[in-house]
Amino acid sequence: MAINKDTAIVQAEEQRAQAEALFNSIGEGAIATDEFGRITRINPIALSILGYKESELLGEWFPKKIVALNEQDVAINLIDRPITKAFLSGRSVTEKVFYRKRDGQKLPVMLTVSPILLADRPIGAIEVFRDITLEEEIDRMKSEFISLASHQLRTPLSAIKTYSHMLVDGYMGDVTTAQKKSLRTIIGATNRMNELISTLLNITRIESGTIVINARMLRIDRAAEEVIKELNLAASEKNITLSLTQSGKLATSVKTDNLILKEIISNLISNAIKYTTEGGAVDVIVRGRNKDVLVTVADNGWGIPKDAHDQVFSKFFRAQNTVKRETTGTGLGLYLVKGLLERLNGNIWFESEEGKGTTFFFTLPKEQRLRNN
Ligand code: ADP
């Protein structure tokens, strides 16, 4: 019996040492807590990233000892801390936050925190995180480069466009019908390039958090009307009927940014026109509701295949059924629209069936505080 007991102790000790070694050799920072969020283990990488000694952290309440900050440098409330969300939801949470190091320095980290569940009850949590300073710096340089390149591209592009217009309008002598056709193609291409440059610039602004918001009270149905006027030509070229309805009795006014709002509506309607066969219909409905305004852009076009639904808002994504038929497109439009709506505190979603059509919905809240910058 005594031998068995000793063997069991030795085995348990071995297992404990193995678990310890396993934990310590995780290639990223790792912190384990008990069910109350008190630190029970911390690996050497986490200690070196955060600049603490193990003895300073063991037994401490994780959310209090390691302060997490958001992009605005504000300490994240306990309820919004990833570890709390993981405990409450019972699921893993992945987020980017800033940790305050021991020396007070702010450090960007990407973390995943998972609850440790025993019979569905959290008995602790484990967080794995890494320092993403370098990635952030590369990202910033990439955004800066795109922004610089886009600005520089605009100048020669406007020269091409101005001279093409002068040529086509006959200011530089007569041009044949064939020449006019070519010049119009050049003008069309410069317009598309200009749009692409605006999209790229807007994306870098969204990604770097430098997008400028000029919020004022405005009617969404009016904004939609203006966008529709601009897109009527594109619709009529494909014989597509483009309609606008203001439904319901409630006001459609919200405090928001006119240019950004129009960019969002324009992207959705352009897509609806682009991905609908000649003779189809695109219906825009603006509905004021109690707490928000709902905008619907419905088409009876090609639709989005089910297996592509998850990726529609991803950067550069284009569904297979559209890539085959329509070569122009970057897969950036909806990524931008989603980013812009997030910045305006709005939501976006869609319903779609291949071969039947697609309906995009977005809402903007009536009551909101938007940061003007
Ligand atoms: P782009 O239109 O430049 O390809 P977007 O980001 O605007 O990029 O759209 C991404 C993809 O989503 C499109 O390539 C297309 O496959 C699909 N999509 C978007 N809107 C519609 C629509 N109204 N009908 C069908 N497919 C659509």
Side-chain angles (χ1 to χ4, degrees), residues 271 274-275 299 303-304 317-319 322 329-334 358 360:
N271 275 351
K274 195 155 105 185
Y275 302 124
D299 66 57
I304 303 171
F317 179 78
R318 305 197 67 217
T322 48
T330 55
L332 289 172
L334 289 177
T358 306
F360 273 90

Side-chain angles (χ1 to χ4, degrees), residues 45-62:
I45 296 185
L47 292 171
S48 104
I49 294 177
L50 297 168
Y52 281 96
K53 287 197 212 103
E54 190 180 35
S55 57
E56 292 172 316
L57 294 179
L58 282 182
E60 293 290 335
W61 191 38
F62 179 35

Side-chain angles (χ1 to χ4, degrees), residues 44-265:
I45 296 185
L47 292 171
S48 104
I49 294 177
L50 297 168
Y52 281 96
K53 287 197 212 103
E54 190 180 35
S55 57
E56 292 172 316
L57 294 179
L58 282 182
E60 293 290 335
W61 191 38
F62 179 35
K64 185 161 176 245
K65 190 75 185 175
I66 313 282
V67 176
L69 307 160
N70 63 17
E71 297 275 353
Q72 285 78 41
D73 249 356
V74 179
I76 302 172
N77 288 331
L78 176 61
I79 192 79
D80 293 322
R81 285 284 290 255
I83 187 168
T84 315
K85 288 196 241 172
F87 272 136
L88 292 177
S89 67
R91 295 212 193 106
S92 295
V93 175
T94 300
E95 256 177 50
K96 182 194 135 184
V97 300
F98 295 88
Y99 275 154
R100 175 98 46 227
K101 289 172 51 167
R102 190 177 187 275
D103 63 7
Q105 224 185 311
K106 186 180 153 194
L107 187 84
V109 297
M110 186 56 90
L111 63 84
T112 297
V113 53
S114 313
I116 306 166
L117 299 174
L118 189 72
D120 281 347
R121 208 178 64 83
I123 54 158
I126 178 148
E127 174 172 310
V128 178
F129 65 99
R130 72 195 151 84
D131 174 359
I132 53 166
T133 311
L134 193 66
E135 277 118 303
E136 293 264 291
E137 179 59 10
I138 293 170
D139 229 44
R140 195 190 55 74
M141 282 162 67
K142 182 202 72 185
S143 294
E144 232 175 64
F145 171 74
I146 294 178
S147 169
L148 194 85
S150 309
H151 278 300
Q152 297 300 327
L153 282 172
R154 275 216 165 127
T155 320
L157 204 57
S158 73
I160 298 172
K161 198 172 159 184
T162 311
Y163 282 103
S164 305
H165 270 294
M166 284 167 78
L167 285 165
V168 89
D169 292 341
Y171 287 113
M172 292 178 164
D174 290 341
V175 277
T176 66
T177 314
Q179 284 167 339
K180 267 192 185 161
K181 205 171 155 219
S182 303
L183 285 166
R184 291 218 168 89
T185 309
I186 295 175
I187 293 170
T190 54
N191 285 340
R192 278 212 306 281
M193 226 156 147
N194 252 327
E195 279 165 23
L196 180 61
I197 290 172
S198 305
T199 304
L200 285 174
L201 279 172
N202 276 329
I203 285 178
T204 46
R205 284 180 195 131
I206 281 278
E207 288 180 346
S208 61
T210 56
I211 191 140
V212 178
I213 306 265
N214 284 311
R216 63 179 171 84
M217 280 310 280
L218 52 95
R219 278 179 53 178
I220 297 201
D221 55 324
R222 293 244 172 94
E225 203 178 315
E226 284 169 32
V227 173
I228 285 180
K229 266 191 203 142
E230 285 164 22
L231 293 174
N232 258 330
L233 182 66
S236 65
E237 276 172 1
K238 282 183 80 175
N239 217 359
I240 285 173
T241 49
L242 184 51
S243 75
L244 172 66
T245 316
Q246 195 210 320
S247 93
K249 290 202 175 79
L250 295 177
T252 69
S253 308
V254 292
K255 188 172 180 208
T256 197
D257 183 294
N258 191 33
L259 283 181
I260 297 181
L261 171 66
K262 280 165 74 178
E263 173 86 33
I264 293 166
I265 302 176

